[in-house]
DNA sequence: GGCATCCACATTATCGACAATATTGTTGCG
DNA sequence: CGCAACAATATTGTCGATAATGTGGATGCC
C-alpha cells in the first residue's frame, strides 16, 4: 500500500487536534471575540486550548495560509484585517468562482444533495431564530461547503472555500445583523428550490446576489471607522 | 507600531529558510527528479538541505497546502500525483481564473510592466535555447507571476498562482518537451505584443490557448502508463 | 527636558532527546 | 509450505529546555 491514499475514508472536517484549534480560532474571529489586529500569543493560546506550543504554532501557520491571520518572524501572529479595497477584490473573485460553480453544477440536484442541504438549512434556520450566532456560522459554512462541493470540480470548490475563509473575518460584521442573517436564510431556501426544479438561471442569480450583503455591511462599517479619525 | 505590517518592504519571494526549501523541493518535483508518489523522508531532507527536522516539517506542511505533496499522520509525506480527471479539473479552474485576469488587466500594459516582462521573456528564451530546464522553469514561473500580478486584484493573482503550483507537478512532463517549450516561448512573446498594443481580444485568446498544451501532454503520457498495465 | 544607550522582560525560534506509531523481517507453529 | 505472532527497525510525533530576537522602560548624559 502506497503512502498516497486512494480513498479518504474519514470526513474532511475531522482530522487531528490542530484542526480543532484552527476551526475554533476561526470561529472566535468570525464571532468577533478576537478582533482584527489583535495579537495571538502562542503561550496564551496553548494554555487556553490545553495544547502544547508547537501545536498552536502549526495551527497559526495554517490560519496564516488560510489568510485570516498575519505572522511576522520573531514578532508573532495577529488577526488580519482588510482594507475596503481588499474586501472588494476578494468578493470579486468569489463572485467569479461561485458564479461559475453555479453554472456547472448538475441540475436538477440529486435527492441526496437536496436532502443534505435541507437538513443543514433547517439547522441554520433554527439557529437564526434562537439567536445562536455560533451555530448560525457553522451551519452557514456547512451549507456553502456542501452546495459548492456538488459542482463536480473539487479544485473549484476548494478555491471557493479558501476565499470564504478569508471573507470570514469580514462576514462577522454581518452575522450579528438580524436583517442580513434572515435574508441569507431566505436565499438559502431559494437556492434549494431552484436546485430542485433545475432552474439554472435563477440559481446563478441568487448565488450572485447572496454574496453582496456582507460585503456592503463591511464597507459601511469601515467607512464609519474612517470617520472617527476626522 | 502594530504587529500587522502596513507595507511589506521585502520581495514576496524572499522570506526565511523554509521558503528556500519549499521552492527547492518544488523545483525538484517539477524537473522530475522527485517523481509522483515518491516518498519524502524528513531526516533525509534535513541532511540534504542542511536544516533541522522541524524546518523540513514546516516546509512539507506548506507544500501540502500548495497541493503538490500529500501527508498522512505517522506515515509521512510523498509527492502527489494526479489522475487525468483531476488534471482536467485543475485546468478548467485555471482557464476560468486566468481568462478573467486577462479580461480585467489594464490595457495597454504600463511601460514598467512591459519592461519587466520583456526582461523575463529574454531570460526564458535564452534558457530555452541553452536547454537549461531549471532556468526555463524559473523564468516561466516569474513571467506568469508578473503578468497575472498586474491584473489589479492580488487575490485573483494569488489563486492563479496556487493553481499553477498544483499544475507544476503536471507541467514537468511538458518542460522537457522541445516543441512545447518553444510554443510557450512564442506565446509569451505574443502576450507581450498584445499587451503593448492593447488588444484585449487577442490577449484573452492566447492566454486561453496557453494553458492547454501541458494538460494534453500529461493526459497523453498518462494514457500510456495506463496501457502498461494491460 | 529631550534624547541616546543600556538593561530587563516578553515572546518567538531552535534544538536535541525521547515517545508513539508504522513497517519490515524473522521465527515458530500447524 | 503458509501463516500468524512477535521482534527489530525506520520514521514521524511530542516534549521541555535553551537561544535568539524584539519591546518597552529606566538611566544617564547633554
Amino acid at each position: 500500500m502506497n503512502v498516497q491514499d486512494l480513498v479518504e475514508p474519514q470526513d474532511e472536517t475531522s482530522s487531528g487536534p490542530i484542526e480543532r484549534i484552527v476551526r475554533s480560532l476561526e470561529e472566535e474571529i468570525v464571532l468577533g471575540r478576537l478582533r482584527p489586529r489583535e495579537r495571538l500569543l502562542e503561550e496564551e493560546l496553548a494554555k487556553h486550548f490545553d495544547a502544547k506550543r508547537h501545536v498552536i504554532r502549526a495551527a497559526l501557520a495554517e490560519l496564516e495560509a488560510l489568510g485570516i491571520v498575519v505572522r511576522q518572524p520573531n514578532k508573532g501572529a495577529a488577526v488580519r484585517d482588510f482594507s475596503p479595497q481588499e474586501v472588494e477584490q476578494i468578493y470579486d473573485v468569489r463572485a467569479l468562482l461561485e458564479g461559475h460553480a453555479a453554472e456547472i453544477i448538475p441540475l436538477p440536484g440529486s435527492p441526496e444533495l437536496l436532502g443534505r442541504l435541507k437538513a443543514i438549512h433547517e439547522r441554520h434556520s433554527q439557529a437564526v431564530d434562537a439567536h445562536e450566532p455560533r451555530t448560525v456560522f457553522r451551519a452557514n459554512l456547512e451549507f456553502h461547503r456542501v452546495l459548492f462541493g456538488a459542482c463536480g470540480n473539487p479544485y473549484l470548490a476548494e478555491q471557493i472555500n479558501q476565499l470564504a475563509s478569508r471573507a470570514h473575518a469580514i462576514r462577522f460584521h454581518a452575522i450579528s445583523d438580524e436583517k442580513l442573517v434572515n435574508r441569507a436564510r431566505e436565499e438559502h431556501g431559494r437556492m434549494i428550490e431552484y436546485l430542485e426544479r433545475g432552474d439554472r438561471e435563477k440559481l446563478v442569480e441568487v448565488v450572485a446576489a447572496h454574496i453582496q450583503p456582507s460585503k456592503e455591511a463591511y464597507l459601511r462599517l469601515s467607512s464609519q471607522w474612517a470617520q472617527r479619525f476626522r
Side-chain angles (χ1 to χ4, degrees), chain A residues 9 13 16 63 66 77 81 96 130 137 143 170-171 184 188 199 219:
Chain A
T13 59
L63 286 168
L66 282 174
D81 71 345
L96 176 69
F137 169 66
F143 186 90
I170 299 164
R171 172 117 45 78
H188 287 178
D199 189 336
L219 294 176

Side-chain angles (χ1 to χ4, degrees), chain A residues 4-196:
Chain A
Q4 192 136 353
D5 256 351
L6 298 178
V7 285
E8 269 288 332
Q10 54 188 358
D11 191 337
E12 285 179 30
T13 59
S14 60
S15 293
I18 78 140
E19 285 306 318
R20 179 184 66 93
I21 295 175
V22 166
R23 268 193 299 283
S24 188
L25 281 173
E26 191 180 11
E27 257 184 48
E28 301 289 308
I29 291 171
V30 172
L31 298 176
R33 287 178 41 101
L34 292 172
R35 304 294 194 82
R37 303 216 168 186
E38 185 166 344
R39 243 184 126 171
L40 301 171
L41 301 188
E42 296 184 353
E43 213 148 4
E44 202 175 296
L45 296 174
K47 195 181 56 184
H48 178 47
F49 288 110
D50 190 35
K52 299 299 171 185
R53 215 154 63 85
H54 76 274
V55 177
I56 301 296
R57 184 169 273 272
L60 289 176
E62 190 163 332
L63 286 168
E64 184 187 29
L66 282 174
I68 62 186
V69 151
V70 177
R71 292 174 87 195
Q72 282 183 280
N74 290 314
K75 293 191 71 181
V79 179
R80 179 168 172 184
D81 71 345
F82 296 89
S83 72
Q85 191 198 4
E86 288 173 313
V87 174
E88 293 271 9
Q89 292 169 338
I90 289 174
Y91 276 90
D92 280 353
V93 185
R94 279 191 78 188
L96 176 69
L97 291 174
E98 297 192 2
H100 185 68
E103 293 280 4
I104 68 173
I105 192 173
L107 284 187
S110 72
E112 197 257 343
L113 171 64
L114 287 164
R116 288 175 67 192
L117 285 177
K118 281 173 183 170
I120 299 166
H121 182 47
E122 182 57 31
R123 272 193 292 132
H124 179 260
S125 193
Q126 286 179 2
V128 170
D129 288 333
H131 303 284
E132 289 171 358
R134 208 171 220 98
T135 313
V136 170
F137 169 66
R138 285 183 183 159
N140 184 69
L141 188 67
E142 205 180 338
F143 186 90
H144 288 96
R145 272 201 206 288
V146 171
L147 174 62
F148 293 115
C151 76
N153 187 332
Y155 298 94
L156 177 57
E158 193 188 331
Q159 301 286 70
I160 289 175
N161 289 337
Q162 272 184 32
L163 283 173
S165 282
R166 281 170 164 65
H168 285 165
I170 299 164
R171 172 117 45 78
F172 107 82
H173 295 288
I175 212 168
S176 51
D177 184 326
E178 200 68 15
K179 256 198 297 194
L180 291 183
V181 214
N182 272 294
R183 172 169 166 183
R185 183 228 307 249
E186 183 255 344
E187 285 169 341
H188 287 178
R190 278 168 50 206
M191 288 180 196
I192 293 177
E193 184 190 329
Y194 300 143
L195 219 48
E196 195 153 22

Side-chain angles (χ1 to χ4, degrees), chain A residues 215-230:
Chain A
K215 164 180 149 185
E216 283 157 15
Y218 183 89
L219 294 176
R220 205 155 45 233
L221 255 164
S222 125
S223 71
Q224 286 178 19
W225 292 340
Q227 286 184 356
R228 287 213 303 243
F229 284 97
R230 284 174 196 161

